[in-house]
Amino acid sequence: MTASTNDFVIKFANVNGSGSASANELFAKAILRMGVPVSPRNIFPSNIQGLPTWYEVRVSAAGHLGRRGGVDLMVAMNPQTFEADVREIEAGGYLFFDSTKPLPPGVRSDIEVIGMPLTMLCVKHYDDPRQRQLLKNVLYLGGLSMLLGIEADVVETLLSEQYKGKPQLAQPNIDAFRLGRAWAKDNLKHPLKFAVVRADNVGDRIFIDGNSAAGLGCVYGGATVCAWYPITPSTSVAEAFEKYCHKFRVDADGKRKFAIVQAEDEIASIGMVVGAGWNGARAFTATSGPGVSLMTEFLGLAYFAEIPATIVNVQRGGPSTGMPTRTQQADVLSCAWASHGDTQHVLLFPEDPHESFGFAADALDLADKLQTPVFLMLDLDIGMNQRLCKPFQWDAERTHQRGKVLDAEALESGVPFGRYRDVDGDGIAYRTYPGTHPVRGAYFTRGTTKDADARYSERGPDYLENVHRLKRKFETAKSLVPQPIIERAHRPTSIGVLYFGSTSPSMHEAAQRLAAEGLALDLMRIRAYPFPDSVRDFVLAHEQVFLVEQNRDAQLRTLLIHAFDLDPARVTAVLHYDGTPITARFIAGAIRDRLAAVRQEVAA
Amino acid sequence: MTYIAKPKLHHPSLTRNRVGFTRRDYEGKISTLCAGCGHDSISAAIVQACWELDIEPHRVAKLSGIGCSSKTPDYFLGQSHGFNTVHGRMPSVLTGAYLANRDLLYLGVSGDGDSASIGIGQFVHAMRRGVDMTYIVENNGVYGLTKGQFSATADQGSKSKKGVENTDSPVDLVSLALQLGASFVARSFSGDKAQLVPLIKAAMKHRGAAFIDVISPCVAFNNHGGSTKSYDYVREHNDAVNRLDIIEGRAAIEVVQPDDGVIDVEQHDGSVIRLRKLEADYDPRDRLEAMNFIAHHAAKGEVVTGLLFVDADARDFHAHLKTAPTPLNQLDTAALCPGAAALEKVNAGLR
């Protein structure tokens, strides 16, 4: 392990509920304020108090925001996981521990050990047991700031901001920080091989989690009804929506321009969204995989009855508790084809909080324009971790696009109305909101059994006309969804890589790494389903195509091959699904190995 | 089978109500239910109630789940938007619709399979929240469209058409609604239009969750001896606690003495529900007494009908949520979007 400035990984191993989260977050933010990019990740259990939890911070002057893998400095505060945590440290790295108790014998000799008697210092300086526990976190923050060269002023400013208006809390925290820093200065060898040095690599970027960004996007996108049911890791979407609504949508007289319902389950959540959408309000729900499973019957109805609905799905590991606090992209198929009958749904794949914001607003527009459910597919990695990203943008001229709706004036003027007539040839019919006109525009909404004028019909030709129009509508969607983004290699190459969502930062880093090794890759980031034809063109234009996903079954690959009737041999899956975010090391390794194998096959 | 529209011939002598509509304007398609089905009487009662209340048909949104009863919204109020949703899930869709536009009247029609079995959770929570709606369960104790299985409201010991005895305890939706906080709870019988029409009118006037359980015999599968949901059984065991009239706010309300067997309940819009007591001691303003009374009479095999409970001062879900008076579906970008400048401030706070 060689010395490095502004480029290392530090991991905090804590006990859930010990108050470490805010100190750790402050640590990450302090480095950002010094102009150095960081990407932190929470690795947490399904638990409120007592179980192990980790906070991993990657410091990267180059701006790599994906998980790197490996740990250079372990802050081992949890006796339960101590041994495993120590094993994770890269050779030549550091172990930082509470030296109030002696180190267990036999700790690795290839790492450097730094002891700071945190508990003893707390017992000495504080009487209140809770204070002892909370300020212990701030003490190690002080110690680490000294060891790594983090500026004291920056941390103290952040502490003051955090306890703004609560001076009785701010001062003890600042004092504890100074105490830790002074102790480290007097007693520990510093600086370490890894140091933070002020730089200017952050720019105007913002630091926020994707769930909060999506919640804010729903406010900007004009959602007025939010019905949801608590489920990790999506709960903070609804909570953020509520927070921003209280900030932006309450009249002077206290009246609210929004309605949020914590429903009895996910079935009721989507039912309310469908009811609100049918009645002309923009509505969304936030959920995760199991919630989508419960919603599927309604999703089929919404597809066939053509009702706008936005579903924020923050993906996670599968059923039960435990893995659900880990990340995956494993709901691609269950969302794309959710429900009974011939159904297909629109999916959007944001890469970070910036796009989570924008795509949330776009999803509400798309749902109205296409009169259909639209999924915003986050995952735990971007949903629940703060991520450095471009600032949110909103065009001041932008208005909400409500799609094809006939109002009272249009109906009064005698515009002919048939709810499911394809007047414009794009598969999208005109709709009316209930209560619009006394004698025109009313219709009866049901699933499949109807003719183009929404009259009850069990006739085969009427059914066919309808489902074929729905297929045309899905074709139309291709041009309305966010288009894929291509990044060409610096020289022509026959190798292309497709990827989507939270894989983005690791993918970029892997491509850089492989480019440095002489391997040129064209990249295409898929941002939505249905796939625009440019995705097929990209696949056909490359001899060797990789598709990087964070699930076991190459779900997006299945969709892709199905969408364009591609030869499955054309697309090689690179799959990562152990619940941790995918790394550049993994992607680069997988692509390198696969290409080497191909070369061997060719040579043989 | 597609659909049959009723001929739109208006006899000139058909009486028009205050908003210019005849009864025919409140009708829908021709029913496809069995001849003699109680549900068709309920549809007719809804038509009558809306006509008498001078409701503009397009100001009603009618929603249902799945089942025989849930087919009926196609058979009344043809000028209203209707929504045949998912089995047992009408309450959530209605709740969402109601959140989107607080200015319409919401009529939910469901059945005992729809509301007491698959959808009991949604029934429960819609009542708890005080969604402003009229929720009618057309209760026949049996699954009709799937040909005669017991539903959860079938009485213990009652017999199916094939002679099988039901051993499960029944769900009494009226008692459940009372316990859950519904602010208007009634029971009626599809064969008693004189009782049912005023009840529907009162429910539609009520602000908050109004629930009417209407015993509606299934002539095909549950109208035999041994059934407790047959025409004969309900007629014999019907114990009506009151009769009511709806007196619109615009009419002069004659003063009545409190002790002459009449209770006046003033509604939020100024109209008055005038209850003529048939059961001397029954006061439908007392929730606990209502629950007690119903339980005692049920134990004797009697079907208590009438307006069983009303709280005219109830607040609805929008009041709880403090929603703006303008319907949410009418708010435009300017009203909803904080704008680019506000976003710059948000950005600044995230650095």
Side-chain angles (χ1 to χ4, degrees), chain A residues 462-539:
Chain A
D462 285 334
Y463 177 80
L464 291 181
E465 183 186 328
N466 192 51
V467 292
H468 292 159
R469 182 181 53 75
L470 287 168
K471 193 118 180 145
R472 282 201 297 284
K473 185 166 86 166
F474 212 60
E475 273 299 304
T476 301
K478 285 183 176 181
S479 62
L480 298 179
V481 297
Q483 301 296 300
I485 291 176
I486 297 180
E487 286 174 73
R488 299 249 173 239
H490 292 300
R491 60 179 170 78
T493 175
S494 61
I495 306 166
V497 185
L498 297 163
Y499 66 101
F500 63 101
S502 65
T503 301
S504 193
S506 292
M507 185 65 238
H508 283 114
E509 187 184 350
Q512 277 184 29
R513 189 174 293 188
L514 292 172
E517 296 171 15
L519 198 59
L521 305 174
D522 284 342
L523 306 182
M524 174 181 262
R525 180 160 68 88
I526 293 173
R527 300 201 295 167
Y529 175 78
F531 307 119
D533 292 343
S534 55
V535 179
R536 178 196 55 205
D537 298 344
F538 181 88
V539 172

Side-chain angles (χ1 to χ4, degrees), chain B residues 206-217:
Chain B
H206 178 74
R207 182 180 55 198
F211 173 62
I212 312 176
D213 178 34
V214 187
I215 313 292
S216 175

Side-chain angles (χ1 to χ4, degrees), chain A residues 241-366:
Chain A
F241 180 72
E242 183 166 23
K243 182 183 97 176
Y244 288 118
C245 276
H246 279 283
K247 188 177 165 83
F248 293 122
R249 292 260 197 89
V250 181
D251 286 345
D253 58 357
K255 293 294 181 188
R256 299 171 180 177
K257 291 183 279 191
F258 61 91
I260 300 171
V261 186
Q262 184 188 316
E264 57 269 31
D265 55 31
E266 286 91 345
I267 302 174
S269 303
I270 191 69
M272 289 177 201
V273 168
V274 165
W278 175 73
N279 212 1
R282 290 200 148 174
F284 80 98
T285 185
T287 190
S288 188
V292 174
S293 295
L294 285 174
M295 292 176 185
T296 51
E297 186 182 18
F298 257 124
L299 289 165
L301 178 75
Y303 173 82
F304 278 104
E306 297 183 66
I307 294 165
T310 297
I311 303 102
V312 182
N313 177 13
V314 188
Q315 299 168 90
R316 57 177 225 187
S320 189
T321 54
M323 280 307 280
T325 59
R326 311 292 198 267
T327 195
Q328 274 184 359
Q329 297 175 319
D331 297 341
V332 174
L333 287 177
S334 70
C335 291
W337 291 334
S339 206
H340 54 286
D342 284 321
T343 52
Q344 300 185 89
H345 304 295
V346 176
L347 316 178
L348 308 184
F349 302 107
E351 66 166 342
D352 65 2
H354 172 82
E355 277 191 347
S356 298
F357 169 82
F359 283 10
D362 293 347
L364 291 157
D365 272 354
L366 280 169

Side-chain angles (χ1 to χ4, degrees), chain A residues 29 33 203-208 216 219-220 222-225 244 247-249 251 254-265 267-276 278-281 297-298 301 305 307 357 391-396 398-400 402 432-447 451 455-459 462, chain B residues 1-3 21 29 56-64 70-74 78-87 89-102 104 106 118 121-123 125-126 128-129 317-325 328-344 346-351:
Chain A
K29 231 170 166 176
R33 289 271 177 100
D204 69 345
R205 281 184 284 181
I206 57 172
F207 188 58
I208 189 173
L216 181 64
V219 175
Y220 270 74
T224 50
V225 175
Y244 288 118
K247 188 177 165 83
F248 293 122
R249 292 260 197 89
D251 286 345
K255 293 294 181 188
R256 299 171 180 177
K257 291 183 279 191
F258 61 91
I260 300 171
V261 186
Q262 184 188 316
E264 57 269 31
D265 55 31
I267 302 174
S269 303
I270 191 69
M272 289 177 201
V273 168
V274 165
W278 175 73
N279 212 1
E297 186 182 18
F298 257 124
L301 178 75
I307 294 165
F357 169 82
F392 299 138
Q393 281 163 349
W394 189 262
D395 178 354
R398 177 170 173 174
T399 55
H400 301 141
R402 303 307 313 267
T432 56
Y433 299 157
T436 301
H437 191 280
V439 290
R440 290 176 189 161
Y443 68 97
F444 199 81
T445 306
R446 38 171 89 76
D451 66 9
R455 293 174 300 202
Y456 188 86
S457 170
E458 298 176 12
R459 294 176 62 240
D462 285 334
Chain B
M1 171 70 222
T2 53
Y3 74 100
F21 293 103
K29 303 278 180 350
E56 294 178 289
H58 75 294
R59 304 305 296 169
V60 180
K62 47 181 187 173
L63 297 99
S64 63
S70 290
K71 291 172 76 169
T72 65
D74 207 17
Q79 303 286 3
S80 307
H81 273 69
F83 196 167
N84 201 177
T85 66
V86 174
H87 196 17
R89 319 297 180 197
M90 172 274 285
S92 63
V93 180
L94 189 151
T95 301
Y98 153 86
L99 292 173
N101 184 353
R102 61 188 306 169
L104 301 184
Y106 294 92
I118 187 168
Q122 297 217 337
F123 170 83
H125 293 281
R128 282 180 59 225
R129 292 187 183 104
F317 195 26
H318 273 297
H320 297 313
L321 292 172
K322 301 186 177 70
T323 327
L328 294 176
N329 70 349
Q330 288 165 29
L331 298 171
D332 61 8
T333 308
L336 296 175
C337 182
L343 196 58
E344 277 314 306
V346 172
N347 282 328
L350 297 171
R351 288 179 179 128

